[in-house]
Amino acid sequence: MTSTTTARLAESDLKAQEKAAKRAEKERQKRIAADEKAERKRAAKSGFANVNNPRRSTLMTVLCVVFAVYCLFPFAYLLINATKTQADFTSTFGMGFGKTFALWDNIVTVFTYQNGIFGRWFINTIFYVVIGAGGATLLAIMGGYALAKFRFPGRKAVFAVLIGSISVPGIALAVPQFLLFAKLNLTNTPAAMIIPSLISPFGLYLMWIFSEQAVPQELLEAARVDGASEFRTFWQISLPLLAPGIVTTALFTIVATWNNYFLPLIMLKDSNWYPLTIGLNQWKDQASTAGGQAIQNLVITGSLITIIPLVIAFLCLQKYWQSGLAAGAVKE
């Protein structure tokens, strides 16, 4: 009898301790919530906010959701309509699936239509990106590093020209470039696509700013004291430190070259040299020509295939380009 009473008393004490612990935890959570609320009010008055204690705004949440839907809507449209046949594409609701799931058939037809010209356009686009965007990235790295780490006469003038170049839209230079390349008999050749793609004023400016922040001058001076040449200092010491900026610049130049439309439109006439942008547009306009066949399902499927490499590149390299975009945002 005594042992049973003792057990009951111990159990009641344990339950009382658990209740007291729960009450203490609730009080602690209330104090934390009150402290966070007070901190947000102080931050709103001072103009500074703690990133670990962000202000909660229903309006901003709704706006972010609307913006996310707006950005993802075209991608969802491509995914849904790439599964339709041509008959389903013209007879069903745009955001609804068709009667037949024809995604694989559409992919096969895209790569076999017109003797597999889509594959040629895909290879052309990769070629323009590797040579054009790769060359633009390399030139931007070397030029930005030189402007950031070397002092020479005319450096301020170069900066002024660079800023002016960024402010000029590329489409405004397309016609002068065409006239120049026509004089040089380079139109309707890969050079007409590659040479203009080698110039990236924004990439040069980005690498200039990033090199200023990412490569300490003391490190370069130490390498020079040890007898390293400027070339070796750049390739073995500075280049690894510039990795985030390099990836960011490369992504910008790759996207610009991959999505380039107006330049190949006026430079290229031979369909064998078309990139994907011009080739798919030619397929789209095919239905409006005399005796042309409507192949919107192939255009949609080809567009979906076209954006997949860019999505993969961004997902694989996002940690690098995010840190590259944030370079210089925090002063050390």
Side-chain angles (χ1 to χ4, degrees), residues 124-169:
N124 291 343
T125 304
I126 294 177
F127 175 71
Y128 298 147
V129 166
V130 171
I131 304 300
T137 303
L138 180 62
L139 292 175
I141 295 168
M142 294 190 295
Y145 176 81
L147 290 169
K149 296 304 176 183
F150 296 97
R151 299 296 182 265
F152 52 88
R155 184 170 176 270
K156 293 183 179 180
V158 172
F159 179 78
V161 172
L162 180 60
I163 296 299
S165 301
I166 294 175
S167 63
V168 176

Side-chain angles (χ1 to χ4, degrees), residues 204-217:
L204 178 59
Y205 176 76
L206 182 63
M207 288 307 304
W208 184 349
I209 299 302
F210 193 87
S211 299
E212 288 274 9
Q213 300 290 330
V215 183
Q217 191 66 32

Side-chain angles (χ1 to χ4, degrees), residues 60-78 80 95:
M60 289 303 299
T61 302
V62 172
L63 290 177
C64 288
V65 170
V66 172
F67 184 73
V69 172
Y70 173 78
C71 293
L72 295 175
F73 182 82
F75 188 67
Y77 180 85
L78 286 178
I80 293 173
M95 293 303 294

